[in-house]
Amino acid sequence: MTKLTTHVLDVYSGKPGKGILVELFYINNSERKKLTSTKLNDDGRANSPLAEGDIFVKGKYELVFHIGDYFKNTSAASDVPFLDDVIIRFGISDPSQHYHVPLLVSPWSYSTYSCLLYTSDAADDMQCVDLGGRRII
């Protein structure tokens, strides 16, 4: 259950962010250590967790979503995109949980939120709750 996942929704086209390059870094004081790099699948998700197990520890992380290239290839965005790399820095206080950091993005804006994912005994029953325990999805 201990892992970090993400997905991207392109709100400009109404489709998943297929093919977006995503990088994950661990931040330790002034050191920025790259943990993984992946391209998102047809559903706008990574095929495996970005971090899990022993490499998913308490601390500060940075996700970099390379959306400039994505929108150059999927829209009429200019050669110099308004948004190029979307960088989200966040902290993990309890790495025994499943954290999910989604990104909603257009060529001109983005939004994100954080949630903890819980599953019940039913394999298809998944809940996303905010860090206060309130169900949000």
Side-chain angles (χ1 to χ4, degrees):
M1 188 68 167
T2 171
K3 60 186 169 183
L4 174 66
T5 57
T6 190
H7 76 273
V8 176
L9 297 175
D10 172 354
V11 296
Y12 180 68
S13 70
K15 298 178 182 177
K18 175 185 175 182
I20 294 175
L21 175 64
V22 178
E23 296 175 304
L24 176 67
F25 296 87
Y26 183 77
I27 310 297
N28 186 7
N29 297 320
S30 62
E31 181 185 355
R32 186 174 177 248
K33 179 183 176 188
K34 186 175 186 176
L35 299 179
T36 191
S37 177
T38 189
K39 285 214 174 191
L40 301 181
N41 64 24
D42 290 350
D43 292 327
R45 299 177 183 275
N47 287 325
S48 59
L50 299 172
E52 64 182 330
D54 293 342
I55 68 162
F56 190 44
V57 298
K58 187 176 187 176
K60 188 185 289 187
Y61 291 83
E62 179 180 282
L63 276 170
V64 180
F65 297 87
H66 295 270
I67 64 160
D69 291 336
Y70 168 78
F71 282 115
K72 282 182 194 176
N73 296 324
T74 61
S75 71
S78 67
D79 290 341
V80 180
F82 179 71
L83 292 175
D84 194 13
D85 298 337
V86 171
I87 300 169
I88 302 171
R89 277 202 174 176
F90 56 96
I92 297 297
S93 59
D94 182 2
S96 69
Q97 300 294 325
H98 176 178
Y99 288 82
H100 186 68
V101 181
L103 180 70
L104 308 175
V105 69
S106 80
W108 311 279
S109 66
Y110 68 92
S111 178
T112 189
Y113 57 92
S114 169
C115 67
L116 299 173
L117 292 177
Y118 295 100
T119 55
S120 70
D121 293 334
D124 60 349
D125 182 28
M126 188 178 300
Q127 296 182 39
C128 186
V129 297
D130 68 15
L131 300 181
R134 295 174 297 266
R135 186 177 179 151
I136 56 177
I137 294 179

